C-alpha cells in the first residue's frame, strides 16, 4: 500500500482490461516471422514490434494515469511528478555509473506518498569476470511510460540537470568517488568465483583489476558531467551538456529499446 513498482502498474492495467500479462510476448511471437520476411532486418522488425506494442497493447500513459488516479489535487500531482523526476534522474546516474543492468520493472519501487524511488539489487554487472561493464543497448531505464509521466519539459530540463548535479557531487570533490570505489569495486569483484581464485593466487592481479574498473566507472561519471568548450558549442550548435544528452538519446531511442528483452519490458 505504501509503495508500488512499474510491474504493479502493468499488472493492474492487465487486470482492468482482462488481458494476460504475457500478451506482448505472444504478439511478438505471432508477428515476428511475417515482419522479418517483409522488412530488411531483424532489428527493423523488432523496432516495428516495439512501436506496435506501445500503440496497441501497453500505452505509454499507464504510469501517469495510475498516479493521477491516486493524487487528490493537481498541485499534489505536480509536486509528486517533480520529485519523481529528480528521483529517476538519480537512478539513471547511479545505474549507468556502476553499470547496473537488468533494471526490470519490479526493481523500481516508488513511494505512493512522495514519488521517492528505492532501487532493488543496485549492484554492478560484470560483462566478463572482473570487468564491470554493461552490454545493454540503453545506458539506463528511461522507457515510454517514464518519459510520458516526466513529460517532454522534464526530459529537457529537470532530468539532465539533476543527473549532472548528482554525478558532480561525486566528482567535484577530489578523491571522493575513488575513495568510495576502491572498496566497493573490490567487494563486488571478489564475489565471482573466478576472481576470488585469482585473488588468492595473485593479490597484485586483483589490485590491477580493481584499478581498471575504478577508471572505467570514473570515465562513465565523467561523461555525465562533461561540458563542451564554448567554441565547439557555438560552431556545431550543440548543447554544452551534449555528452549527457547523447546518453539520454540512446536511452529513449526506439531502436535501442526494441533490442531489450521481454523481461526488461521496454514499453513500461
Amino acid at each position: 500500500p505504501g509503495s508500488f513498482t512499474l510491474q504493479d502498474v502493468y499488472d493492474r492495467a492487465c487486470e482492468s482490461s482482462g488481458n494476460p500479462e504475457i500478451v506482448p510476448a505472444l504478439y511478438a511471437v505471432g508477428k515476428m516471422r511475417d515482419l522479418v520476411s517483409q522488412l530488411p532486418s531483424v532489428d527493423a522488425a523488432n523496432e516495428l514490434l516495439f512501436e506496435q506494442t506501445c500503440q496497441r497493447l501497453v500505452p505509454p500513459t499507464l504510469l501517469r494515469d495510475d498516479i493521477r488516479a491516486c493524487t487528490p489535487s493537481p498541485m499534489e500531482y505536480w509536486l509528486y511528478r517533480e520529485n519523481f523526476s529528480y528521483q529517476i534522474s538519480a537512478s539513471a546516474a547511479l545505474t549507468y555509473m556502476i553499470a547496473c543492468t537488468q533494471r526490470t520493472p519490479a526493481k523500481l519501487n516508488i513511494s505512493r506518498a512522495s514519488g521517492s524511488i528505492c532501487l532493488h539489487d543496485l549492484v554492478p554487472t560484470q560483462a566478463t569476470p572482473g570487468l564491470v561493464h554493461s552490454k545493454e543497448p540503453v545506458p539506463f531505464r528511461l522507457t515510454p511510460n517514464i518519459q510520458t509521466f516526466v513529460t517532454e519539459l522534464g526530459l529537457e530540463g529537470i532530468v539532465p540537470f539533476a543527473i549532472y548535479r548528482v554525478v558532480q557531487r561525486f566528482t567535484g570533490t577530489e578523491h571522493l568517488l575513488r575513495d568510495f570505489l576502491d572498496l566497493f569495486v573490490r567487494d563486488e569483484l571478489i564475489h565471482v568465483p573466478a576472481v576470488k581464485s585469482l585473488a588468492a593466487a595473485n593479490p597484485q592481479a586483483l589490485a590491477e583489476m580493481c584499478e581498471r574498473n575504478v577508471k572505467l566507472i570514473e570515465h562513465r561519471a565523467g561523461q555525465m558531467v562533461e561540458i563542451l568548450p564554448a567554441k565547439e558549442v557555438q560552431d556545431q550548435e550543440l548543447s554544452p551538456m551534449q555528452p549527457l544528452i547523447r546518453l539520454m538519446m540512446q536511452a529513449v531511442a526506439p531502436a535501442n529499446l526494441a533490442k531489450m528483452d521481454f523481461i526488461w519490458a521496454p514499453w513500461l
Side-chain angles (χ1 to χ4, degrees), residues 64-84:
R64 184 194 68 188
D65 294 345
D66 183 273
I67 293 172
R68 182 176 287 170
C70 299
T71 310
S73 71
M75 177 58 73
E76 290 186 50
Y77 174 78
W78 187 86
L79 291 171
Y80 189 102
R81 184 178 64 192
E82 182 184 38
N83 188 49
F84 177 89

Side-chain angles (χ1 to χ4, degrees), residues 47 50-51 137-140 142-144 147 245-260 264 266:
E47 186 172 354
F50 170 74
E51 292 173 353
V138 295
F140 38 75
L142 207 56
T143 45
Q147 296 171 41
I245 300 300
R246 192 175 295 117
L247 288 174
M248 292 182 61
M249 291 173 65
Q250 291 173 16
V252 303
N256 291 337
L257 288 167
K259 296 174 184 176
M260 301 302 295
W264 202 83

Side-chain angles (χ1 to χ4, degrees), residues 5 19 194 197 249 252:
T5 66
N19 292 326
S197 300
M249 291 173 65
V252 303

Side-chain angles (χ1 to χ4, degrees), residues 33 38 84 87 89 103 107 144 155 178-179 195 210 239 247 252:
R33 182 173 295 179
Q38 298 169 14
F84 177 89
Q87 293 280 310
S89 304
R103 305 312 299 165
K107 292 181 179 179
L155 289 172
R178 172 168 285 274
D179 289 347
V195 177
C210 288
S239 164
L247 288 174
V252 303

Side-chain angles (χ1 to χ4, degrees), residues 125-254:
T125 300
Q126 296 187 42
T128 57
L131 178 64
V132 176
H133 180 67
S134 168
K135 292 183 177 180
E136 288 184 344
V138 295
F140 38 75
R141 188 175 190 97
L142 207 56
T143 45
N145 268 272
I146 294 174
Q147 296 171 41
T148 300
F149 180 51
V150 170
T151 73
E152 185 175 341
L153 187 62
L155 289 172
E156 294 179 359
I158 291 178
V159 174
F161 169 78
I163 291 176
Y164 177 85
R165 292 296 295 169
V166 167
V167 180
Q168 191 185 48
R169 293 291 292 178
F170 285 106
T171 60
T173 303
E174 188 177 10
H175 304 311
L176 176 62
L177 183 60
R178 172 168 285 274
D179 289 347
F180 167 72
L181 288 176
D182 283 337
L183 292 176
F184 176 74
V185 169
R186 183 187 182 284
D187 287 346
E188 292 300 329
L189 293 180
I190 209 74
H191 284 302
V192 178
V195 177
K196 191 172 184 178
S197 300
L198 175 65
N202 187 353
Q204 182 59 32
L206 176 63
E208 293 172 359
M209 191 180 294
C210 288
E211 176 65 18
R212 182 167 62 250
N213 283 291
V214 167
K215 287 182 177 179
L216 282 173
I217 294 174
E218 288 180 324
H219 171 73
R220 286 191 287 269
Q223 285 180 287
M224 292 186 279
V225 295
E226 181 182 354
I227 300 297
L228 297 182
K231 188 176 187 308
E232 186 175 347
V233 170
Q234 185 175 359
D235 291 347
Q236 300 185 32
E237 298 183 352
L238 300 173
S239 164
M241 303 171 69
Q242 192 62 31
L244 174 56
I245 300 300
R246 192 175 295 117
L247 288 174
M248 292 182 61
M249 291 173 65
Q250 291 173 16
V252 303

